[in-house]
PDB file of all heavy atoms in Angstrom:
ATOM      1  N   THR A 847       9.107  14.192   5.100  1.00  0.00           N
ATOM      2  CA  THR A 847      10.489  14.265   5.589  1.00  0.00           C
ATOM      3  C   THR A 847      10.610  15.428   6.559  1.00  0.00           C
ATOM      4  O   THR A 847      10.185  16.547   6.253  1.00  0.00           O
ATOM      5  CB  THR A 847      11.457  14.499   4.403  1.00  0.00           C
ATOM      6  OG1 THR A 847      11.235  13.459   3.452  1.00  0.00           O
ATOM      7  CG2 THR A 847      12.896  14.452   4.859  1.00  0.00           C
ATOM      8  N   PRO A 883      -6.442  23.515  17.049  1.00  0.00           N
ATOM      9  CA  PRO A 883      -5.267  24.395  16.947  1.00  0.00           C
ATOM     10  C   PRO A 883      -5.675  25.823  16.589  1.00  0.00           C
ATOM     11  O   PRO A 883      -6.636  26.030  15.842  1.00  0.00           O
ATOM     12  CB  PRO A 883      -4.444  23.764  15.815  1.00  0.00           C
ATOM     13  CG  PRO A 883      -5.389  22.924  15.046  1.00  0.00           C
ATOM     14  CD  PRO A 883      -6.491  22.513  15.981  1.00  0.00           C
ATOM     15  N   GLU A 893       9.673  25.330   8.354  1.00  0.00           N
ATOM     16  CA  GLU A 893       9.920  25.725   6.966  1.00  0.00           C
ATOM     17  C   GLU A 893       9.558  24.579   6.043  1.00  0.00           C
ATOM     18  O   GLU A 893       9.972  23.441   6.277  1.00  0.00           O
ATOM     19  CB  GLU A 893      11.411  26.058   6.839  1.00  0.00           C
ATOM     20  CG  GLU A 893      11.789  26.846   5.624  1.00  0.00           C
ATOM     21  CD  GLU A 893      13.265  27.227   5.694  1.00  0.00           C
ATOM     22  OE1 GLU A 893      14.101  26.402   5.286  1.00  0.00           O
ATOM     23  OE2 GLU A 893      13.577  28.327   6.175  1.00  0.00           O
TER      24      GLU A 893
END
Side-chain angles (χ1 to χ4, degrees):
T847 305
E893 197 174 85

